[in-house]
Amino acid sequence: MSLLPSVVPGLGIVKGMALTLRRFFQPKATVMYPEQPADVATKFRGRLQLLYDENGALKCETCFQCAQACPIECIDMGGMDTKGRFHVHWGPPETYGERREESALRRSGRAVPDPAYEHFAPFDTATVDAIMEAHDHDPKYLLPMLEATQAAFGFLPVSALKRISERTGTWYAQIYGTASYYGHLRFEPPASREQATEVRARRATDAGYLEALGASLGGGSRGSKTIAPRKTVAPRKGGDA
Amino acid sequence: MSAILASPKGWPAILLARAGAADPTDLDAAIKTGAFEGLRRAVRELGPDGTIHEIEASGLRGRGGAGHLTAEKWRTAAGTPATRRYVVANGYGADPSASTDRTLIETDPYAVIEGAAIAAFGIGAEDVFISVRATATEAVRRLEAAVDAATARNFIGDDALGSGRRIEVTVRTVQGAYMLGEETVLLKALDGKRGQPEQRPPHPATRGFRNGPTVVQNVQTLASVPWILVHRAKAFKAIGLGDAPGTILVDVRGHERSGVAEAPLGTPLERVVELGGKPARGRTLKAVVVGGPTGGILPPSELSTPYTFADLRAVGAHVGSGSVIVVDDRACVVDLARLLTRFSADEACGKTIPCRIGLRRIAEIGERLSTGTSRGGDLDLLADLSADVVGSGLCDHERLATLPMMSGLRYFRDELDAHLLRGECPAGVCNPTRLGATA
Ligand SMILES: Cc1cc2nc3c(=O)[nH]c(=O)nc-3n(C[C@H](O)[C@H](O)[C@H](O)COP(=O)(O)O)c2cc1C
Ligand code: SF4
Ligand code: FES
């Protein structure tokens, strides 16, 4: 048997065609992903899945560490970050160009609230370009660049971050990771007072902490100038009058 | 600026020696009181090696919290082969309830600049960054004015004091996160990166800012350096206690007064507490929070502890930010520990599991205790979890953040039990639902 192919001319082609014909009549294996979800074994290790905690909250904090750490930058995400802000993200421009289109977002079936689209709105590139020029397009000055951008726009428009990414050669994930880390940088125009207070309460800012500390001490720090007024002291049951 | 508390007669003044100057940025006035004498001695008399040797002989330890030997860091940085070395003065002052570093910068910017210049001279660095919190605008302004004045007079700059060495001092403002106080985080922020700690070793003294050997030093540490060079190591060693010589700034929130004071290291904690006055009539001292948000909650029985790095650690607190918060009987230890832990959990950087999830779970135990929704075994869980966080933490933040709850467990077990077993808050602060009433 093993000798046959070498002595009968054309037998290889016949065998190959036979295989093709056999497969042709077998059921198709193509899965129309993403319209049709793929059947993935639960133990499959390459599966990307975000887990939920016991309270039903997503455990992923959109901290972007996986995106930043991934050596081939295939991880990317959109969602609510810990400050309750929605963001749609993309990796390096050349990898994810198509996904920037609105239609691509729609096709992906992700819920994209309207404000997200505003991030794609045209903006004043000259301002950002001047800021980058002043800092030599050097990613080492990313923080001062972001601060200057926020000073110019009142917040950090995603399109500005995108431009900084393109022009300085810094990955978007890294810029977003940096910008979202620092409490004084924001991605939306200054919020209404109520929203601001809510964010402050959640982020335990210095002022919030001092106020809570003052309240917790129950007046143990009387005469202190630096502790904020104890407006939030809860009424005590049978405490001091 | 916070008030500077009057300290008892006989306490030495090293860091706040120039407090009360009409204009702290006035270089001529500062020179009259000895500014830049230390740098002159380093450059003219001691040389780099001699300078490090003098600091070593003084036994100076870092005032940023951990109390590492300063000379050891300098020697490592000087001995690591490199083309560029850096000195970073840490004046960030992460703890919102302590203004020690800010007060020092505001009262004596020249001491910080001079100390940083001496460090740069000692290790062979050309670039010095003094990092300050951007929101401390007065400190930033004074520091910048002082750097300009000192550069104009050639104390620092291209040819510092005619030594032929370039020592360029730059003020860098940072803001936006508690963690920026941690040295590896600070270095990343100065380089425009996300503020998350790096594994140590390598310590910054070997590989720090832009991979160069970097000495990161608290501003109080640096401000002690010129004094040591002028008054000699022996005089410095005579102040303080044992292997913790010198003085340190404390931020006391006392019964009657609050403010910053300079205390010799090794001062018994009760002397520090007394700086803040006596309890109001009918009130008693209940506890002292030593070390800021990650500090330990100590009972009155531990007040004889000397205020040193090692002694405070031994009783479950730490020097930390220098913050000493006096708590009277109106406060509830459970509520306080809950609040401090919640702050630490919220400010943790999120890089590692102990920091991102461990601290959150510890904070939740505190919240369960104060709302009376504890589950059986919560105290065991607390001890286990804390041990795990301490064992596996990447940076010191998560390790220290276990201290409020753990010291509460250690010293105020009765109060914890009242919450846990009887659903009562003895101080009447928390509102625990009584177990059994609902279930
Ligand atoms: C969470 C955290 C916050 C810190 N905050 C400060 C700070 O605000 N200022 C400071 O000087 N050191 C701070 N440190 C200590 C620094 O990491 C570092 O040890 C110090 O600046 C070194 O200077 P020293 O040797 O002079 O103490 C902090 C450490 C941790 C873990
Ligand atoms: S973004 Fe952060 S939390 Fe979310 S999956 Fe990646 S590493 Fe985990
Ligand atoms: S705070 Fe995140 S690793 Fe220490």
Side-chain angles (χ1 to χ4, degrees), chain B residues 1-215:
Chain B
M1 194 171 105
S2 304
I4 293 180
L5 295 176
S7 41
K9 272 208 171 51
W11 281 17
I14 295 177
L15 299 167
L16 297 181
R18 292 201 194 105
D23 175 11
T25 61
D26 180 350
L27 182 53
D28 289 311
I31 289 173
K32 281 208 190 78
T33 52
F36 292 103
E37 282 302 319
L39 180 61
R40 181 165 291 131
R41 177 160 182 246
V43 170
R44 302 272 152 80
E45 192 182 318
L46 295 171
D49 275 348
T51 304
I52 298 183
H53 197 263
E54 184 87 23
I55 297 302
E56 186 169 39
S58 76
L60 176 65
R61 284 175 185 276
R63 268 55 172 149
H68 293 300
L69 284 169
T70 302
E72 226 163 69
K73 284 194 195 179
W74 292 18
R75 189 144 281 160
T76 310
T80 305
T83 46
R84 303 202 78 159
R85 299 188 174 78
Y86 302 91
V87 170
V88 173
N90 186 350
Y92 181 64
D95 176 4
S97 63
S99 50
T100 49
D101 295 348
R102 182 155 45 95
T103 305
L104 173 69
I105 294 172
E106 286 173 10
T107 48
D108 197 354
Y110 288 112
V112 176
I113 295 169
E114 186 184 355
I118 294 171
F121 178 75
I123 69 162
E126 295 200 334
D127 296 289
V128 175
F129 301 104
I130 304 184
S131 47
V132 205
R133 197 184 269 250
T135 47
T137 43
E138 187 56 24
V140 175
R141 188 189 68 75
R142 291 190 192 176
L143 203 49
E144 279 174 345
V147 167
D148 288 347
T151 312
R153 296 278 281 276
N154 222 21
F155 286 116
I156 49 178
D158 284 338
D159 180 15
L161 267 182
S163 61
R165 291 269 310 278
R166 189 182 81 94
I167 298 177
E168 179 137 349
V169 180
T170 318
V171 179
R172 292 284 299 268
T173 57
V174 285
Q175 63 175 325
Y178 172 80
M179 285 304 298
L180 292 177
E182 205 274 342
E183 52 188 7
T184 59
V185 175
L186 181 63
L187 294 180
K188 283 185 145 183
L190 292 180
D191 216 6
K193 299 207 178 94
R194 189 194 310 189
Q196 282 168 330
E198 281 298 307
Q199 182 126 29
R200 294 175 304 176
H203 287 276
T206 326
R207 195 144 68 86
F209 188 68
R210 300 194 185 157
N211 292 334
T214 307
V215 162

Side-chain angles (χ1 to χ4, degrees), chain A residues 53-54 61 63-65 68 139-144 147 173-174 177-178 181-184 201-206 209-210 212-213 216-227 236-237 240, chain B residues 3 96-97 133 175-177 179-180 189-196 210 253-256 258 280 283 293 325-328 330-331 335-336 339-340 343 346-347 349-351 356 360 428-429 431:
Chain A
D53 68 10
E54 61 269 37
E61 310 215 326
C63 73
F64 265 74
Q65 297 209 72
Q68 197 174 310
K140 290 198 167 61
Y141 299 107
L142 183 59
L143 214 41
E147 281 165 0
Q174 191 178 335
T178 304
Y181 177 82
Y182 292 92
H184 63 299
R202 223 176 320 137
R203 272 212 26 108
T205 56
D206 294 356
Y209 167 69
L210 288 177
L213 187 63
S216 179
L217 292 177
S221 55
R222 238 171 316 102
S224 153
K225 283 192 216 88
T226 21
I227 287 190
R236 300 274 161 75
K237 318 173 290 182
D240 57 305
Chain B
S97 63
R133 197 184 269 250
Q175 63 175 325
M179 285 304 298
L180 292 177
L190 292 180
D191 216 6
K193 299 207 178 94
R194 189 194 310 189
Q196 282 168 330
R210 300 194 185 157
R253 269 150 210 269
H255 295 291
E256 297 172 70
S258 302
R283 298 273 157 232
I325 300 174
V326 179
V327 181
D328 72 16
R330 274 171 293 187
D335 184 55
L336 201 55
L339 173 78
L340 299 175
F343 178 82
D346 284 351
E347 290 295 339
C349 76
K351 181 169 180 172
R356 185 173 64 241
R360 198 173 289 193
V429 173
N431 229 340

Side-chain angles (χ1 to χ4, degrees), chain A residues 50 60-66 77:
Chain A
L50 294 174
C60 171
E61 310 215 326
T62 331
C63 73
F64 265 74
Q65 297 209 72
C66 51
M77 66 201 62

